[in-house]
Amino acid sequence: FKTLEVLKDSAKIAIYGAKGANGVIIITTKSIDDELKEVKARKNFKETAFFFPHLKTDKNGKVSFSFTMPEALTRWKLQLLAHTQQLQSATKTLQTVTQKELMVLPNAPRFLREGDTITLSAKIANLTENMLNGMALLTLTDAVTGKNIDIDLQNTNASKNFTVNKNGNTNVFWHISIPETVQAVQYKIVAKAGNFSDGEQNVLPVLSNRMLVTETLPMWVGSNQTKKFTLNKLKNTTSSTLKNHKLTLEITSNPAWYAIQALPYLMEYPYECAEQTFSRYYANTLASFVTNSNPKIKEVFSNWKSSDALLSNLEKNQELKSLLIQETPWLRDAQSETEQKKRIALLFDVAKMKNEQQKSIKKLQSIQMNSGGFPWFKGSRYESIFITQHIAAGFGHLQKLGIKNFDSSTKRMLKKAVLFLDKKLLDEYSYLIKRATKYKDENPKKHIDFLSKNHLNYFVIQYLYMRSFYKNIPLDSNIKKAADYYKNQATIFWNDYNLYAKGQIALSLFRDDKKVIANKILNSLKENSIVSDELGMYWKSNTSGYHYYQAPVETQALLIETFSEIENDTKTIDNLKIWLLKNKQTNKWKTTKATTEAVYALLLNGSNWISVTEAVTTKIGNTTIQPSKTPTIKTEAGSGYFKTSWNGSEIKNNMSEVTIAKTGNGIAWGGLYWQYFENLDKITSAETPLKINKKLFLKENSDTGKQLTAISDKTSLKIGDLLTVRIEIRADRELEFIHMKDLRAAGLEPINVLSSYKWQDNLGYYQSTKDAATNFFFDSLPKGVYVFEYDVRVNNAGNFSNGITTIQSMYAPEFSSHSKGTRLQINK
C-alpha cells in the first residue's frame, strides 16, 4: 500500500495501510512530528576515518576492503600505498563524497553564550530529480541532564515547512534565546520529505557572559585552639547584580592532600608550551609515585572508583570538554561530590597515568631544539634559558623524591638540556673574561678588581641550583672553572639578592659541601623571618614582581626545600608549609609553575603527615558541621580531609562566619571559598603595567582598496561580513611570559584557524586559535605600544556579547588587565 498524506486540522497526518490476517485493511495514523522524532540523526563527525584494513583478494588478484565512514556530509581523500617484497611501490589518491538524496547541513556556531539571542540556520539540499516538500524539526536538550529545554531556549516554533527544488537547496531558521540555566546544549535538526530523511546532532557549550570571582578565607588552628574567622566580602555584600555560585568549606588535617588535589589541574591544563607540557609529565609522574608509595591514598582512590557511572554526552565529547575546561572551569563544580572524587580517582588510574606520562614526554622531546634548549612554544627561533632551567630543575625534584627510573630517551633529553645550559654558563663567563682582558694590559690591578666585583645574576644563580641535581653529568675543565668562579662569588655576595636567590645559593653551596656558608645563609633567613600562629613562618619581602624569581609561592616552596635539606627541623618546615597553604586558592595555585613547585615542597617529608586524622569541630553561620553524623559528608581515610558546599540560593550572609575548634595535639587548616558571578563592569582591576584596548572594524572594499569602519551601535552587520579585530597593548615596562586571551562573539568565525609562531615589529609571539577565543603568548613584552589585528567572519545572526580581552602574566597573575565588554547586533 502506498503512503498517503492528508491535511487535517492544519496538522499533517501520515496514513498507513496494512492487510490484516482476516483480509481487513487496518488504518493507522502517525503525526509528522512523531515521524521526525524517529529520524536517525548523524552524530559521528570525526575528521578522519580510522580503521584497521582487512584486505581481501579475488582469483584475479584484485584487492578489496571495507570500512565505516564518519557521518559528516563532505568530501574525503583516501591515500593508498602498495609495495612488493622487492620494495617496488605505487601510490594512489582517491576522493569520495558522503552524501544523501536529502541533506541537512546546520550552520551552527562553535559555542553559545548566556544572554545572547541567535538565529540557528540549516541548509536543506535536494539531490533528487523531483521537487520535495517536507518538514524540519529542531530539538534542544540539556547535554548534562538529558532534559528537553526547547521552552527554556524559547524554541516555541520548532517545526518548519520547507520546499526545495530538484538539485537545489533552501534554508530554514530558528530563533533561540540562551538562558543562564544551561551549561551545554545538544541540538538535533532533522528533516523529512516523503521517503527521504536526514538529521544532525551535536553539542554546543554555553559560556558565561559574566566573570566568576573567587573570594577566599584561609583558616588555621593549632593544638587545643578555637578560632573564629570572617569572610567580610560575603558578610557585607550589597550588589544587586551579584549571583551566588558556590560556597565551599574545606577542612583537612593533612597538608599532603592539597598537593594531591592540585595534580589534576596540571594533568588537564590545556596549553601546549614547553613548561606546561613538562607540568603534565611532572603531575602524572608524581601522582603515580604517590599512589604506588602510599597504600592509604591508593585505597581511597579505589573506593572512589568502585562505582561505575554513565558518562554524559559532555564527557564523551573530549573536544567540548577541553573547551569547557578553558572557558568555564567552574562547570565541574555542578557535579556531585561523588562525581568529582571519581574524576580525580580516574586521573590517578595507574594505566592512564602511565599513558599520559608517555604522551607528555614525547611532546616535550619534540619541543626540544637541536641545541638542547627548550623554547617557550614550539616554533620559536630561540631557546628560553629560564624554561630550560625550570624543566631541568623539575626533573631534579623528581629525582630528589626518589623517582629515578627515567627511560634512555628521557635521560638523553635531560643530558642535552644540561649541556646546553653548561654552554650558556661558559658563554657568560667567557664574555666576562673578555671584558676583564681589556684592563689587563692597561692596569693589572684594575683587571683583578674587575673580576673581584659582583658578577652574579639570576641566570647564574638558577644554573648553580639546577646543576646541583646533576652530579652524575661531569663538567669539562672550562665549565668547571667558570662554575667555581661563580660559586666563589656566591659565597661572597649572597646577601645582595632576594629570598629566592638566597635559597638557591644556600642549596647549591650545601650540595657542594660548603656547609658553613649554607648555614650562615639559613641563619640570616631565620633572623629576617616572621613567625605567627596564624600565618606560620614567612617573610615580608616575599612579594610579587615581574620576574620568575619574584613569585611568592615559588619562593616559599624553594625555602621549604632549603630548610628541609640543610636543617631538617620539623617545626620550622611545618610553619613554612602553613604559609604556603594560606596561598592555596579554590582548587589550584595560580599557575602551573607555582603548582609544580608547591606540590614538590609539600611532598618533601610529607609521609609523616599522611596518618594525621584528628577531627575538628566546625561551625558555619548557625550550623555545626559534623561529618560523622552527616551522610553527605565523608572524612577521607588517612587524610582527615572533608569538604562540603552550598549552591546559589542556599548561601546566606551569616555563613561568612566560621568557628573551628581543635581538640588534642596537632594542627588543622582549611579554607572558605565563596564564588559568585558578577557583571564585568562591576569588577575592578588593580593598577598594573599593562593597558589593553579592543575595537572591532567592518572591513569593506572601496575604490581606494580595503577600508576599515569602526563598529558602533548604528553599524548594520549581516551574515558574511568580514570584521577586523584590533587589540592595542600598552606596557610601561618590560614584562616576560605574557598571555593575552581575546574572547569573541558566538556569531563570529575566525578566518585563520592554524596556530603558529609569528613575528611582528621585532616581537615574537605564539598565536593559538581556539573555539571561543584567540590566544597570544609573548615570551617577552618590551616597553612600548603594540597593535595586533586579525579577521573574523560573521557566521550567525542575532544579538551577541563580544566578550572581553584579558592580558595576564602567566607566572605573576596578579599583573593583569582587561578590555571593556561590548555587544553586536547582526541581521540576517
Side-chain angles (χ1 to χ4, degrees), residues 233-242 653 674 678 682:
K233 283 200 173 182
L234 173 58
K235 184 178 182 179
N236 303 319
T237 180
T238 56
S239 173
S240 59
T241 55
L242 182 148
N653 287 50
W674 176 42
E678 181 61 288
K682 296 287 184 73

Side-chain angles (χ1 to χ4, degrees), residues 17-18 85 140 262 306 318 374 408 426 472 516 556 578 625 646 653 674 677 699 770:
Q85 292 180 342
L140 303 172
S306 59
Q318 293 300 307
F374 292 92
S408 57
L426 186 59
N472 60 320
V516 174
Q556 189 78 6
I578 288 168
I625 308 297
W646 298 264
N653 287 50
W674 176 42
F677 290 99
K699 194 172 189 177
K770 298 294 184 181

